[in-house]
Amino acid sequence: MDVWPIQPQTGGNPNPDDIVGRNQVVDYMLGQLKAGNNLLIVDPRRTGKTSTLTRLCRNPGDDTEAVMLSYEGAQTSDEVFDLTVKALVRHASLGARVAKALRHIVEVDAAAGPVKIKSAFAGRSRIDLLVDVIDAVESKLKSSQHLIIVLDEVPLAVANVAKSESPDAAAVLLQRLRALRQKQNRLRWVLAGSIGFHHVLRQANTTEGVINDLQPVSLGPLDADSGAFLAKCLLAGIGREAAAGAISRIVEDTGSIPFLIHHVVHLLGETGDGEMTDVSLDAAAEAWELFLDRDQSRSMTHLVTRLEDWPKEMRPLARSILDALATAEEPMTLDEIAELDAFVRLDRDRLLGVIELLIDDHYLADTNPTLSWRYDVLRRIWIRRRRLS
């Protein structure tokens, strides 16, 4: 494939036309959805989750439409309802039909303002009405047509509902979403988020039964070839080419995470001497170090602060485990971790329980019988942010 110039994007989401890679995982997800499975995607922030889902929605296949909406910022069940209705009404090809189907339930201005419920439905909660809305949407699909509904940042919204309303309200939201997945024949669902569902299930006082119908998919970084191609396109975007070894160094330093590749190339554009010379291996390495030392790397501080979602009594132990594995020379077994001075007096079941949560939260990888950081680049960022030796 020929390289094309892409401008480094260090904030927001990249242009959909400039999303590189992910072909294999997108094809896999579409195959699973076509087979009737609904999907669950929970990956750390800044690893390309939203971009991948955008790619999926742009070309979902014949006789299939896709709509994507983010629940980030939703604080209440009513806001979840409003965001859902507005996204469906704004859909490029289905929007007009959806608006017509919903006119007996709601009055909605897709541009602004809250969704108003018609008086006949005023006594019902908006989360209960969500079932009626989705029924109406499905009724407007053609007989051979399917609709993929991608809901991003679901765990965050559930956590906000639990906090602003009640754990019961959060549990009802999860239950209604499950009921919708079980009910619709021509709808497929993708639930995604950057914090683990295991946290919000605890906050909602419910169990994995509300999500155990979803097929989990892990995205992770780009493959090395796609990461290298993205780096070349980004360098073309700043009018530069790479000298021998520079591309490999960028991919290695960034762990082939698109967000980090964008940042490194952006810094290469900022630190150039004005001449469009080839980017050397040393310059690529210096740009990575500059990223780690400058304010840009603050976008990765969620690695530290994300533990604030954990129960307060678990956080010190979780940090200690991550510190130990971040600085270990090689992966460790549970028994080896338990023998470290920091944990030798600790109950083994408690240690195991926190480790299991760290695996669920995508910090650690279980390479039975050993444990290690899932992504080495994030391990290195953790070391820098935690000032570990």
Side-chain angles (χ1 to χ4, degrees):
M1 184 184 296
D2 293 333
V3 169
W4 72 89
I6 298 175
Q7 290 296 318
Q9 172 61 261
T10 59
N13 296 316
N15 185 320
D17 293 329
D18 291 337
I19 297 173
V20 169
R22 305 297 193 187
N23 295 337
Q24 186 173 0
V25 71
V26 168
D27 289 345
Y28 172 79
M29 287 192 290
L30 288 173
Q32 290 294 311
L33 293 164
K34 184 177 180 180
N37 296 317
N38 298 307
L39 306 179
L40 174 65
I41 302 172
V42 182
D43 273 65
R45 289 185 180 94
R46 308 299 190 183
T47 53
K49 168 176 54 66
T50 300
S51 297
T52 302
L53 294 174
T54 299
R55 274 208 57 186
L56 182 148
C57 290
R58 289 201 80 195
N59 188 20
D62 295 336
D63 294 323
T64 304
E65 298 285 351
V67 58
M68 179 176 172
L69 63 138
S70 174
Y71 285 152
E72 185 171 9
Q75 301 293 320
T76 66
S77 302
D78 285 1
E79 290 176 359
V80 167
F81 176 86
D82 286 8
L83 286 169
T84 306
V85 171
K86 287 187 175 184
L88 291 167
V89 170
R90 290 170 179 154
H91 190 275
S93 59
L94 289 177
R97 279 183 280 162
V98 168
K100 185 176 181 180
L102 299 184
R103 64 185 180 186
H104 70 291
I105 302 175
V106 299
E107 296 175 5
V108 57
D109 178 355
V115 176
K116 297 180 181 179
I117 307 297
K118 292 292 184 71
S119 57
F121 296 90
R124 298 180 59 193
S125 74
R126 295 198 178 198
I127 290 302
D128 286 338
L129 277 177
L130 190 59
V131 177
D132 296 318
V133 166
I134 299 301
D135 281 341
V137 170
E138 188 181 34
S139 73
K140 290 302 179 182
L141 297 176
K142 299 174 183 176
S143 59
S144 61
Q145 194 173 35
H146 288 82
L147 174 63
I148 300 170
I149 300 179
V150 178
L151 306 178
D152 198 7
E153 299 299 356
V154 176
L156 188 58
V158 173
N160 288 339
V161 170
K163 185 182 298 183
S164 64
E165 296 180 38
S166 69
D168 286 346
V172 168
L173 172 57
L174 286 167
Q175 291 161 6
R176 293 296 181 273
L177 289 175
R178 180 184 170 93
L180 286 170
R181 298 192 300 270
Q182 299 299 307
K183 184 176 183 180
Q184 309 304 324
N185 293 320
R186 287 182 289 150
L187 269 61
R188 302 290 183 265
W189 297 82
V190 180
L191 272 62
S194 51
I195 63 173
F197 265 99
H198 50 285
H199 294 304
V200 300
L201 294 179
R202 183 187 67 251
Q203 292 170 303
N205 293 335
T206 189
T207 68
E208 289 191 2
V210 293
I211 59 169
N212 64 4
D213 61 308
L214 296 166
Q215 175 71 31
V217 177
S218 181
L219 302 180
L222 294 174
D223 62 84
D225 288 342
S226 295
F229 183 78
L230 175 60
K232 292 175 183 177
C233 291
L234 291 168
L235 286 173
I238 63 170
R240 307 287 292 278
E241 293 185 355
I247 292 295
S248 296
R249 184 59 187 260
I250 292 172
V251 172
E252 180 182 353
D253 282 342
T254 62
S256 208
I257 292 176
F259 172 81
L260 299 180
I261 298 174
H262 274 261
H263 267 279
V264 166
V265 176
H266 169 71
L267 288 172
L268 286 167
E270 278 194 335
T271 56
D273 58 7
E275 297 182 7
M276 295 296 100
T277 55
D278 289 352
V279 171
S280 68
L281 188 153
D282 287 344
E286 289 169 6
W288 172 249
E289 288 299 318
L290 188 59
F291 169 76
L292 289 179
D293 289 336
R294 287 182 54 177
D295 286 343
Q296 283 95 335
S297 63
R298 295 188 183 280
S299 57
M300 304 302 293
T301 56
H302 67 276
L303 284 169
V304 179
T305 60
R306 194 156 51 107
L307 288 176
E308 298 305 313
D309 296 322
W310 285 49
K312 187 175 181 179
E313 67 275 10
M314 289 185 179
R315 296 173 200 165
L317 177 54
R319 292 190 186 98
S320 294
I321 294 169
L322 292 174
D323 287 350
L325 285 170
T327 55
E329 294 183 358
E330 57 186 19
M332 303 178 69
T333 66
L334 175 61
D335 288 338
E336 288 171 338
I337 296 171
E339 290 173 0
L340 296 175
D341 290 344
F343 313 117
V344 69
R345 294 182 179 85
L346 193 67
D347 179 79
R348 191 176 189 277
D349 286 341
R350 186 184 175 206
L351 179 64
L352 177 59
V354 174
I355 286 174
E356 293 290 344
L357 287 174
L358 289 169
I359 293 170
D360 290 341
D361 234 7
H362 297 273
Y363 279 106
L364 301 182
D366 182 0
T367 52
N368 190 29
T370 60
L371 298 154
S372 62
W373 272 72
R374 181 178 296 271
Y375 306 121
D376 187 67
V377 60
L378 301 188
R379 179 189 68 85
R380 289 182 276 121
I381 293 173
W382 176 272
I383 288 173
R384 185 65 64 92
R385 304 305 284 178
R386 293 275 291 167
R387 299 183 182 276
L388 304 175
S389 59

